[in-house]
Amino acid sequence: MLDFTYKRISQEEAKKIMDSESKYIILDVRREEEFREGHIKNAINIPNEDISPYELLDLDIEMDTPILVYCRSGHRSLTASLKLSLAGYKDIYEFGGILTWPYEIVK
C-alpha cells in the first residue's frame, strides 16, 4: 500500500512556519519565467513538470524537512505535493498560489 500524504494549509499558516521555524524549504513549482517575475523570499524554483513521483529532488535535505509548496493559483502545487509525497518526502505543506499571497514578494 502506498503511503502518500501532504497537508493543505492556509497562507497564514505557511507564513507562521516561515517566521517561526529555521529548517524548511519554500518550493515554487511555477515555470522559471514566472518565478523571475516575482516569488516568495527564499523560495527555490523547481517547475512542477520537472518533479517526478519516482525520484528525489536534487536537494541536499532530509526526507522529513518541511517543504512548503506553492504555484500561481494552487493547481500545480497540489500536483507537485502529491508527486513529492510519492517520491518519499514526509512533511509537505501545500498553501495555494502566489496570486493571493498577501505578504512580501521579491522580484
Side-chain angles (χ1 to χ4, degrees):
M1 182 171 135
L2 291 175
D3 180 25
F4 59 89
T5 58
Y6 60 88
K7 298 169 195 81
R8 293 187 83 180
I9 62 173
S10 69
Q11 294 181 334
E12 293 76 20
E13 290 172 295
K15 180 72 166 126
K16 284 180 187 174
I17 292 170
M18 293 174 199
D19 290 344
S20 65
E21 300 295 324
S22 60
K23 185 179 177 183
Y24 60 87
I25 300 289
I26 305 169
L27 182 59
D28 183 321
V29 298
R30 298 175 298 153
R31 292 183 310 277
E32 185 178 336
E33 57 273 10
E34 293 175 290
F35 182 79
R36 284 193 308 261
E37 291 173 2
H39 57 274
I40 296 172
K41 185 178 180 181
N42 298 320
I44 61 169
N45 178 230
I46 302 175
N48 177 48
E49 299 79 15
D50 294 344
I51 298 172
S52 169
Y54 308 108
E55 59 187 66
L56 303 179
L57 296 178
D58 190 19
L59 301 173
D60 188 23
I61 62 169
E62 297 175 18
M63 297 301 288
D64 61 352
T65 298
I67 303 175
L68 304 167
V69 184
Y70 76 96
C71 63
R72 180 179 174 271
S73 64
H75 179 74
R76 288 177 280 183
S77 58
L78 290 172
T79 304
S81 294
L82 177 59
K83 291 192 288 187
L84 291 168
S85 179
L86 287 169
Y89 293 95
K90 305 289 185 216
D91 205 6
I92 305 158
Y93 299 91
E94 187 278 328
F95 65 97
I98 198 167
L99 287 178
T100 56
W101 181 251
Y103 309 103
E104 177 184 6
I105 295 174
V106 294
K107 297 183 179 193

